[in-house]
Amino acid sequence: MHYVVSDIHNDYQKFCDLLKMIEFSKEDKLFILGDLFDRSDYNPNPVDLYFKVMELEDNCSMIRGNHDEWLAAYILKFYQMPEWKRRKTEPYQYNTFRCLTRRLVEVDVQNLARQILTWPLQLSVQVNNEKYLLAHRAEKLYTDIIIMYGWNEP
């Protein structure tokens, strides 16, 4: 089965609940259409969320969303500044950077930012001889995890 989700926004628990609900297995494929990070004030857990996504390995494909892009840009800009200037810089508008820096060392936060920037902005996939172009939409009405499609291969 193939699944497409978007706008997880730091919600590790909902993401785990989703995987359990759909009974995600090694035969399945998950496409995350951006915004893995930011915006969740309710129990945000970007570190465990990121590691959970990475555990899925080849069974998961990421697309970079606007929040992912903003986070990566902020991280890289922040760590390019001298230490004295970092203390005076405007904090990141969402809690993700703070959550990350509480649990990860500086080099790992920067590596995460560089990893985010490798995620494509769109992805072309073919399932059952049907072609799909997957991309993130910046304007979203709902912030909860949404199952957009579920399709089976023969």
Side-chain angles (χ1 to χ4, degrees):
M1 185 75 100
H2 292 73
Y3 298 95
V4 178
V5 300
S6 72
D7 296 77
I8 296 166
H9 290 296
N10 283 343
D11 202 325
Y12 171 73
Q13 190 56 55
K14 275 191 180 176
F15 183 67
C16 290
D17 291 347
L18 170 69
L19 294 177
K20 187 176 179 180
M21 180 184 76
I22 63 176
E23 299 176 1
F24 194 77
S25 72
K26 293 182 188 257
E27 291 77 40
D28 295 331
K29 179 75 174 175
L30 178 66
F31 298 93
I32 300 177
L33 304 188
D35 286 0
L36 186 64
F37 300 110
D38 287 348
R39 288 186 55 185
S40 176
D41 290 328
Y42 176 74
N43 199 24
N45 191 345
V47 175
D48 289 343
L49 175 61
Y50 176 71
F51 288 134
K52 184 68 173 179
V53 168
M54 293 301 102
E55 280 176 20
L56 300 176
E57 297 177 336
D58 293 338
N59 293 74
C60 183
S61 294
M62 290 294 308
I63 292 176
R64 187 172 61 229
N66 54 312
H67 284 271
D68 309 316
E69 180 85 28
W70 297 338
L71 175 63
Y74 182 87
I75 290 169
L76 295 177
K77 183 178 177 183
F78 181 84
Y79 286 116
Q80 288 174 351
M81 292 184 224
E83 187 72 36
W84 65 268
K85 200 170 185 180
R86 292 180 195 173
R87 288 189 294 270
K88 296 181 178 186
T89 193
E90 190 72 26
Y92 186 62
Q93 63 183 339
Y94 300 104
N95 58 11
T96 308
F97 182 74
R98 188 174 63 252
C99 291
L100 291 171
T101 56
R102 285 180 180 161
R103 292 191 49 202
L104 300 175
V105 296
E106 183 177 315
V107 68
D108 290 334
V109 175
Q110 291 179 73
N111 286 338
L112 171 61
R114 286 190 278 278
Q115 178 66 35
I116 290 169
L117 294 177
T118 68
W119 299 343
L121 296 174
Q122 62 184 27
L123 187 63
S124 180
V125 297
Q126 185 170 336
V127 178
N128 298 332
N129 295 322
E130 293 284 333
K131 291 184 180 181
Y132 300 90
L133 181 63
L134 306 177
H136 176 73
R137 182 174 154 216
E139 297 172 9
K140 194 87 175 121
L141 297 175
Y142 305 103
T143 57
D144 289 337
I145 297 171
I146 299 170
I147 299 176
M148 295 175 63
Y149 303 103
W151 65 84
N152 284 313
E153 286 192 82

